[in-house]
Amino acid sequence: MTEVFDRVMNVLAVALWLGCVWLGWQAVLRPRRPREPIQGPVWVVRAWGLGFVLLGTCLTIESVTLMAGGEQGWPADGARWVAGPLVVGSILAAFLSRRWDRRRTRAMNEGRHRREPGRPLE
């Protein structure tokens, strides 16, 4: 019974990793219209998409290899050392970009409403 459960979980994991590939590919192809998980400059969206494509591909290969009775190999290293930093770095860059935009917008709005001494309100 446990073996059947393990197989079902492995198949679901492969479907999840293929979903990551699809979501990443959508971000790479359409960086100006990204899905909800990531928004920011085009280069950030593309880096996130590429990271998700690599992550999904590496983990799909790893899961299929382990299901077929093989041993853990280079796909796990690719996910750990290439895809992981790309995804995490792009999420951090998107967060900082949004924060920078909010700060810049707030500064512009405050500057517009401030009046200089000796100058009448507009």
Side-chain angles (χ1 to χ4, degrees), residues 28-104:
V28 170
L29 290 178
R30 296 184 213 136
R32 297 200 191 285
R33 292 183 297 156
R35 299 269 180 205
E36 190 59 35
I38 190 77
Q39 293 181 352
V42 171
W43 67 272
V44 169
V45 174
R46 281 202 171 130
W48 181 85
L50 181 61
F52 252 65
V53 167
L54 289 173
L55 181 69
T57 303
C58 289
L59 292 177
T60 299
I61 292 169
E62 185 72 22
S63 294
V64 170
T65 302
L66 292 176
M67 282 188 336
E71 293 186 18
Q72 196 173 20
W74 64 267
D77 293 336
R80 184 179 302 118
W81 297 109
V82 179
L86 260 176
V87 170
V88 171
S90 62
I91 290 171
L92 182 63
F95 172 75
L96 293 174
S97 172
R98 276 185 264 162
R99 187 176 173 135
W100 176 261
D101 285 344
R102 280 194 307 260
R103 181 172 276 178
R104 187 176 55 207

